[in-house]
Every structure is written in structure tokens, then in C-alpha cells.
Amino acid sequence: MMSKVITGNEAVALGVKLSRVKVTGIYPITPQTYIIEELSEMKAKGELEAEIVRVESEHSAMAATFGAAVSGVRAYTATASQGLLYMHEMIWWVAGSRMPIVMTVGTRAVGAPWNIWNEHTDFMTERDSGWLMAFASTPQEAMDLTIQAFKITEDERVFLPMMVGMDGFILSHTKTRVYVPSQEEVDEFLPLRKQPYVLDPEDPVSMGNLFQPIDYMKFRESIHLAQINSKRVIEEIGKEYEKKINVLGNYSSLNESYKLDDADYAIVTMGAWSLDAMQAIDELRNEGLKVGLYRIRYVRPWDEEDIRKKLSNKDKVLVFDRSISFGRGGHLYLELKSTLPDIPIKGVISGLGGVSVGKDEMKFLIKKFAESNQVNEWFYPSEVEKVELRDPRHIK
Amino acid sequence: MSLGTRDILNKGRLLSGTSACPGCPENITMRLVSTALGKDAVFIVVAGCSSIIQGIGPNSVYNYPVLNIAFAAGPSAASGMARAFKMRGKKVKPVVWAGDGGTADIGFASLSGAAERNENILYICVDNEAYMNTGGHRSGSTPLGAKTPTTPAGKKENKKDLPLIMIAHHVPYVATASVGYPHDLMNKIAKAKDKDGFSYVQVLCPDPYGWLFDPSKTAELGKLAVQTCYWPLIEYNEGKLEISPESLHCLDIRTRKPVKEFLKMQGRYRNVPDETVKELEDYIDKMWIRFKELYEGKISI
């Protein structure tokens, strides 16, 4: 293992190379991260032994990656924002085929209006598609989860695709120290590809045919059960990764806790701002407020059991969401509320479209919540409590 | 039909008992194509009648590997497959099988992209000139004047010139065929398969239910389309345009059968105004002037 100062994009590209990916379908336009440029560069230098299909849209990027995967090789792609929504149809096709594929999503806001900055709504809208969905909080984790994703998806108890999210710009474009494993270490961890079936004239099988309603429904149930069963596989593979590759990591559970055991109050976050939350918790603890963090690393599978175990003895829970299901609330808030029906839970939506929320804003919110419970659902940082929007209703 | 094809076809890779309608041209074409291809092929079947003709899973009448896939995804999925087979050192040809809607409309960007990259795939467009699987609605490949459920007064625009558009991509091989001429079709498929790069074959598939004719007349309509020069049989091979023998008579307007003979057999052209027929004839004349000039080397693409 060696350490390098690199961005999240570079870390993921290295993880993809170390996983010996054979084909990647890529589309470059602006919601895309520069992971694909990194891979192209590696290929040009002869460091990456993979076919790169430079397609004409994200729909095609996922289709090309899918085509490669069904033909028996390890396949990968990356996207974000509008691009992710554009490949939505193929995302379902891949999961419905139970085909192992790994994808990175450098999460970004979705238009209209145009906004290129960070937000999790693009990622969260795919949570019903059948894909496993992990979300990184550091470039290190983005790389580690990518390498683990190949092993998890190719486990016969799972055979589902997996996307790894990371905050656009905040993680994708910012440099930090990353421990990069050697090729030997990854080879030792990651075996040859396994998949449920391969398209090959030597053994003609047909995929994606028309099926009777009862069989279709059984397929749906099989995806549901594979999602649930994947929890154990993820823990197993996480532990193995800790032991064989990143001895500093903590991957033995799906989600992570910070100073949670003795806490009265808990906050729940996902992604890069979890680290700001941890700093806020340190400072609030010094002020005598017993608060702890539960960080969601896996949106799918959803670790209901662990969430109940860790949070059901708390007085109240505050959930931070960087995404919104319009008319209902933040996605994580809704998931937490249905998991913990007996605990007072509040949700706060912030950081949409790249709005900056840091340690001080988190401190302010947690304090207010602990003391009075008076937290607005929509939080705008700084002095501006309410932003006036010139929306269509005000146009005469 | 005694053309010496029956024995070969019975050894083909399409099993009996398909879910096709009587007289289905796609069924006939699939039998011819799969026979011509041999076994080193993988089919990518884009949403359409052919997703249904294979029967209800887990059974399938297509006796070769098939990936059924969403409308616009065929050429790109085939591209990924071609790359994967290359990485695995296997000589397998991915063959996309799509209707004219999937080709001319929703799948066109993906088709054009795969052609531009010269992916090692074969794309077959089974052109029945409408979205037949869902009710015969107008597509970009429906001809002028044809009545469909979405153009009840007759289509106002001409058919999209897909073969010429594909030739303009400068790919190694582009051909047209008709279900009425099985030998020509099979020869072209065999040639296309051997190309190391992108090849495109568009097969005219007269459809009894959308075109409204007796299901026993499919092959006859397929022949008439060629004899009246409504449908050209051409081949663009490594930069050179050839007119197939069955269509050579079309180079001279005096040796063509009147287009009306082709139109009068179809319910979709019932009561079509004379001026529309005239407009369609003009379109065909212009098409042949262009093909003639290309054939004689007076113009190039």
C-alpha cells in the first residue's frame, strides 16, 4: 500500500484499473466527472488493459457496459446528474437482468434551472431500481467501495449491479491523501469474474424475453431477496477488505457511527458533510451536549436492523438530507421515519445545488434541535433565514 | 417456392412454433438470416415484434444466444459485446435485429454512433414501414400517402432514406434486401457477417396486418416492391455502389413496372389521391436518378 495525494476521481479511476476492468462505456459531456479522462489517459499510456467504448449518450454508455457485461467481462461506467437520469431506462434493464456492473455517480443537481454543483437527488432517485447503492464520504472510501463493489456484485448470493456515489466537486475534484493498494493486494482480494449467465454461441441462452406475469413477479421478488441477502455479503467482503487491503478502514458494517453509544441525541448524514458533522459533534461535546452521528453508507441495501439497534434508544433524531422528494421531504428522512416509527425524528433539507453547509451551520442546527426542537425543514445558511424566490406565481 | 432453399432452411437456427402472425415477413427473414449467419453470432433483439415472435420465456424459438433489450439500446449494447468478445479472444459477431421504428427514430443516435466508430457488428433493420408491434403506427420509415392509425389521412412525408444515410457514414458494407428474394438476402447477410467492421442491411418486410393484404401474399408483395422499383436492391461494398441484378431494370424508367401495381394490393393505399401517387412516383424517380449516378460514378458520397 502506498499513499498519494489525489482527487476522488483519480482515486476511483485507480480502483477501476486495479480491479482489472475489461470494458467501459463512456460518455463525456459536462455532468460527467473526469474519471473517464483518467481511464483514457491510463489506456493511452498502456497502463490499463481495457476496451473503452466512447459512445454518443449516457443511455448508450450503460447499454454498452451492459452488453460487455453479459458477454462475460468486468464492465464499468461513470456518470452524474442529467446523465444518470438519461440512462435511467438502462439502469433498470441491468438490474432486471441480475447483471454485475459497477458505476460511479459523482452526484450533482438536476435541472431545470441549470446547476452543476453538488446534491444527492440524482443518486437518490435511483433507489427503487434494484441496484445496490453505496455512498462515499471521502476519496479513500470512494476507491475502497469501488473495489469492493466488483466483489459484492459478482457474489452469487447477490448478482446485482452496484453504484457508488460521491459528492460532486467536494470529493470528485478535491485532493486529499489516499492509500492506494498494490495490484498484488487487489488480485489477492478480487477473484476472476463470476456472473449468472454469459451470452455465448457455445451455450445459447436467451435473456430478457417476454415472461408470464407470475414469472415476472417472481423475478421481482428474487431481486428483493438478493438485496436483503446482500447485507451479510457486504459485511463479509468489507471485513476481508479491511484485513487484506486497507487495514486502516472500517468496512465491517454497512453504516458507520461516531460517538453514538452514549449520545442522547443522534444526527444522521450521508456523504462528504458527515466529516463536518463529526467536527461539529466534537465541539458540541466539549460544550456538554451529548450528540452522536449515524452515517448512512449504504442506501440499498437498507440496514434496518442496525439502524434500530443504534438509534432506537435515542431521545430524538435529526436527519440531514441533501436531496428532496418534492411534497414529502428528504429521502433519508422518509426512510428513517419508516424504520423508527416510535422515535421523534425531524428532517432538515439543505445543501441543494451546491449550497455550502459546514461545521458551524451544523453546530447551529444541532444545538437548536437539541434545545428546542425548532428546526425549519428547509435550512439556508448565513443570516438569510428566508430567501425570496421570484417564482411564476409572482409574475403578473 | 422451389428455389433450393427449403433444405437449407430446415437446418436453420429458428425452431418451429414461433408466436408470429400468419404471413409474418419478420419470421421469414429471421429464418433466412439465421441460416445465412451460421453459428458464431449473438443476437441483440431490440423491442418490437421479434421480442414476441420468440415465444414466452423461459422457452425461445431462437436457437442462438439472444439479448432482448430496450428500444434505443441495440447498437450500443452490441458495441459493448463486440469489445468484450475481442477482449476474450472470441470470433463472435453481435447482430442487432431492429424494426424500422427502432432504427429510423428512437434508436437512430445509437445506430449512427456505432457506425461512426465502425464497431464490428452487423445491424439488420427489418423494415415493415411502421410500428407494427403496437398497432401499425407511423414511423420515420413509413412511405408517403400510407394510412396508419396515427396518420389516418395518409402520411404527409416521404420515407427516411436510411440506406443512403448509412452509406454516408462510410462504413464497409450497406445493403438492402427484400423478403421476396431470399437468395439475394442470404448472400448479403453472409457478406455482411464477414466484414471486419460495421455493416448494415435493411430488409423490406411487407406486413399483412399493417399494409392490409392477404397473409399469403407476403413474398409476392416483397417481389412487386422490387419489380416496381419502389424498393431498390443495392449493395454498397467498400466504397462502391452496386445495383443487385433484380433491380438493374430500374436504372431505365421505361423498364419499370408501374408503382400503382404495388400500391393497389395494399389496404393502406386504398383511395389514395392521384396527386399523392404522382408525388410518390417522383420520389422514386429521383431516388433512382441518384442511385444511377452513384452506380455510374458520376457522383460520390
Side-chain angles (χ1 to χ4, degrees):
Chain A
M1 193 198 286
M2 61 184 287
S3 103
K4 283 183 169 183
V5 176
I6 48 176
T7 63
N9 288 336
E10 289 160 355
V12 168
L14 279 170
V16 169
K17 185 186 89 167
L18 289 166
S19 304
R20 296 193 184 275
V21 161
K22 289 280 181 286
V23 176
T24 169
I26 57 169
Y27 184 69
I29 205 71
T30 197
Q32 175 62 274
T33 60
Y34 66 84
I35 294 169
I36 62 162
E37 293 171 37
E38 286 290 315
L39 292 172
S40 302
E41 195 74 36
M42 286 173 185
K43 164 97 177 162
K45 284 186 192 151
E47 295 165 2
L48 178 74
E49 191 220 351
E51 281 286 312
I52 300 180
V53 197
R54 297 166 178 92
V55 291
E56 67 296 320
S57 78
E58 287 89 352
H59 192 278
S60 286
M62 184 50 74
T65 308
F66 178 50
V70 299
S71 308
V73 301
R74 204 163 269 161
Y76 167 87
T77 191
T79 192
S81 183
Q82 318 289 136
L84 182 69
L85 301 199
Y86 200 51
M87 62 167 64
H88 181 68
E89 181 188 32
M90 293 317 297
I91 284 171
W92 282 74
W93 210 268
V94 170
S97 307
R98 303 288 303 268
M99 195 46 63
I101 280 181
V102 175
M103 169 164 72
T104 308
V105 182
T107 59
R108 295 196 194 189
V110 177
W114 280 121
N115 177 310
I116 63 163
W117 295 285
N118 180 34
E119 182 180 318
H120 298 164
T121 306
D122 54 353
F123 186 79
M124 294 305 275
T125 52
E126 296 299 343
R127 73 201 185 290
D128 297 335
S129 63
W131 283 56
L132 305 183
M133 298 172 73
F135 206 100
S137 64
T138 60
Q140 177 75 56
E141 205 176 33
M143 185 193 72
D144 292 344
L145 288 171
T146 305
I147 299 170
Q148 288 174 52
F150 287 103
K151 186 153 179 161
I152 295 163
T153 56
E154 293 170 16
D155 189 293
E156 61 199 11
R157 291 164 291 176
V158 181
F159 281 153
L160 284 174
M162 175 159 156
M163 56 178 87
V164 178
M166 65 170 168
D167 293 79
F169 296 111
I170 297 173
L171 296 184
S172 64
H173 290 61
T174 312
K175 290 201 177 200
T176 172
R177 183 203 290 268
V178 175
Y179 292 97
V180 183
S182 67
Q183 187 65 63
E184 292 71 38
E185 283 174 311
V186 177
D187 285 348
E188 166 72 19
F189 168 76
L190 197 56
L192 290 176
R193 179 175 174 84
K194 266 195 294 184
Q195 62 187 74
Y197 25 66
V198 179
L199 279 195
D200 197 317
E202 281 167 24
D203 176 27
V205 294
S206 185
M207 290 174 56
N209 310 32
L210 178 73
F211 268 78
Q212 293 283 13
I214 194 79
D215 293 317
Y216 176 87
M217 190 163 154
K218 281 188 174 168
F219 274 128
R220 275 5 208 180
E221 192 187 0
S222 84
I223 295 174
H224 179 67
L225 293 175
Q227 277 271 353
I228 291 166
N229 292 337
S230 70
K231 278 182 221 166
R232 215 174 40 230
V233 180
I234 291 167
E235 285 169 357
E236 228 173 74
I237 288 171
K239 266 185 210 143
E240 193 191 337
Y241 189 83
E242 271 179 38
K243 213 159 72 191
K244 286 190 179 158
I245 294 188
N246 193 341
V247 285
L248 306 167
N250 176 18
Y251 294 105
S252 55
S253 61
L254 268 65
N255 302 323
E256 272 207 311
S257 305
Y258 181 74
K259 297 191 176 175
L260 190 64
D261 289 350
D262 66 336
D264 298 328
Y265 312 110
I267 63 163
V268 178
T269 59
M270 181 176 86
W273 65 3
S274 308
L275 277 77
D276 298 283
M278 280 152 79
Q279 284 188 326
I281 285 169
D282 286 346
E283 290 183 16
L284 289 168
R285 285 245 168 191
N286 286 341
E287 292 172 27
L289 196 68
K290 279 171 94 174
V291 58
L293 169 78
Y294 189 84
R295 174 164 75 85
I296 302 289
R297 186 157 54 194
Y298 276 88
V299 177
R300 289 289 182 277
W302 183 251
D303 200 347
E304 199 160 329
E305 211 185 334
D306 189 64
I307 293 168
R308 285 220 188 100
K309 202 171 98 194
K310 301 275 171 54
L311 295 177
S312 57
N313 61 347
K314 303 301 166 205
D315 293 347
K316 49 188 180 181
V317 175
L318 179 64
V319 187
F320 283 82
D321 264 295
R322 210 163 193 145
S323 70
I324 167 75
S325 172
F326 295 111
R328 286 291 282 136
H331 293 103
L332 290 178
Y333 164 72
L334 294 168
E335 296 269 7
L336 259 300
K337 205 166 160 57
S338 70
T339 311
L340 299 164
D342 305 325
I343 313 274
I345 297 179
K346 275 225 157 186
V348 61
I349 291 154
S350 198
L352 300 187
V355 164
S356 179
V357 178
K359 178 198 72 182
D360 292 339
E361 285 86 6
M362 290 234 171
K363 249 176 93 178
F364 166 79
L365 277 168
I366 298 166
K367 227 169 165 174
K368 210 169 161 190
F369 175 68
E371 283 160 7
S372 65
N373 221 14
Q374 295 301 308
V375 177
N376 288 340
E377 193 184 16
W378 288 74
F379 173 72
Y380 295 92
S382 83
E383 299 298 304
V384 188
E385 281 288 303
K386 191 166 177 288
V387 175
E388 291 300 335
L389 182 72
R390 285 162 296 159
D391 72 25
R393 282 169 301 173
H394 298 134
I395 295 167
K396 292 214 169 78
Chain B
M1 182 175 70
S2 180
L3 293 164
T5 47
R6 189 157 289 165
D7 286 347
I8 317 168
L9 292 179
N10 288 340
K11 290 180 194 140
R13 303 183 74 82
L14 184 69
L15 307 177
S16 57
T18 74
S19 306
C21 306
C24 172
E26 285 194 28
N27 204 49
I28 302 168
T29 307
M30 182 60 101
R31 195 174 289 280
L32 295 166
V33 165
S34 57
T35 304
L37 281 172
K39 68 173 173 42
D40 295 326
V42 173
F43 268 77
I44 298 95
V45 173
V46 167
C49 291
S50 300
S51 322
I52 310 300
I53 292 172
Q54 60 196 280
I56 289 180
N59 302 315
S60 169
V61 298
Y62 299 163
N63 192 16
Y64 32 74
V66 180
L67 175 66
N68 290 280
I69 202 161
F71 233 164
S76 34
S79 304
M81 277 184 182
R83 305 298 187 95
F85 286 124
K86 186 181 159 196
M87 291 302 283
R88 291 176 60 203
K90 294 201 115 192
K91 211 173 150 33
V92 177
K93 191 78 151 188
V95 180
V96 183
W97 179 275
D100 51 286
T103 305
D105 303 339
I106 190 170
F108 188 71
S110 157
L111 166 64
S112 177
E116 180 258 337
R117 295 190 302 274
N118 196 26
E119 300 281 357
N120 187 18
I121 62 174
L122 163 58
Y123 189 103
I124 300 172
C125 167
V126 277
D127 184 6
N128 52 26
E129 304 195 321
Y131 289 88
M132 293 304 178
N133 188 38
T134 47
H137 319 120
R138 163 225 201 269
S139 83
S141 194
T142 303
L144 179 85
K147 287 174 193 162
T148 74
T150 49
T151 55
K155 195 190 172 201
K156 298 276 179 279
E157 307 83 14
N158 275 306
K159 191 178 168 77
K160 199 184 263 193
D161 271 336
L162 281 167
L164 277 167
I165 295 169
M166 294 320 292
I167 289 171
H169 282 74
H170 307 293
V171 290
Y173 190 81
V174 176
T176 58
S178 165
V179 72
Y181 292 95
H183 283 111
D184 176 69
L185 167 61
M186 286 168 73
N187 282 336
K188 284 170 174 167
I189 294 291
K191 255 191 227 177
K193 192 205 173 183
D194 287 341
K195 292 289 171 192
D196 187 18
F198 188 93
S199 48
Y200 175 88
V201 180
Q202 187 168 342
V203 187
L204 185 73
C205 287
D207 184 294
Y209 291 91
W211 294 20
L212 303 166
F213 62 82
D214 188 291
S216 66
K217 307 278 185 208
T218 304
E220 201 176 314
L221 254 287
K223 279 193 201 320
L224 257 180
V226 175
Q227 287 162 0
T228 59
C229 300
Y230 166 83
W231 184 245
L233 292 187
I234 55 132
E235 199 174 23
Y236 176 83
N237 195 354
E238 306 291 347
K240 189 157 170 31
L241 186 89
E242 295 287 348
I243 312 290
S244 308
E246 292 82 352
S247 279
L248 274 172
H249 70 284
C250 299
L251 290 173
D252 189 334
I253 199 160
R254 292 166 301 179
T255 49
R256 292 180 206 163
K257 262 191 188 175
V259 180
K260 269 189 183 154
E261 283 189 32
F262 170 64
L263 303 184
K264 76 178 180 203
M265 280 183 71
Q266 308 168 40
R268 64 176 179 163
Y269 276 104
R270 193 169 296 139
N271 303 328
V272 67
D274 285 346
E275 53 269 33
T276 308
V277 176
K278 177 79 185 55
E279 218 181 307
L280 189 62
E281 283 169 348
D282 286 350
Y283 171 78
I284 293 163
D285 288 347
K286 278 186 193 138
M287 172 176 80
W288 278 106
I289 290 167
R290 203 161 46 225
F291 277 136
K292 194 173 180 211
E293 287 179 340
L294 273 169
Y295 175 58
E296 290 169 351
K298 286 182 186 155
I299 56 167
S300 59
I301 288 176

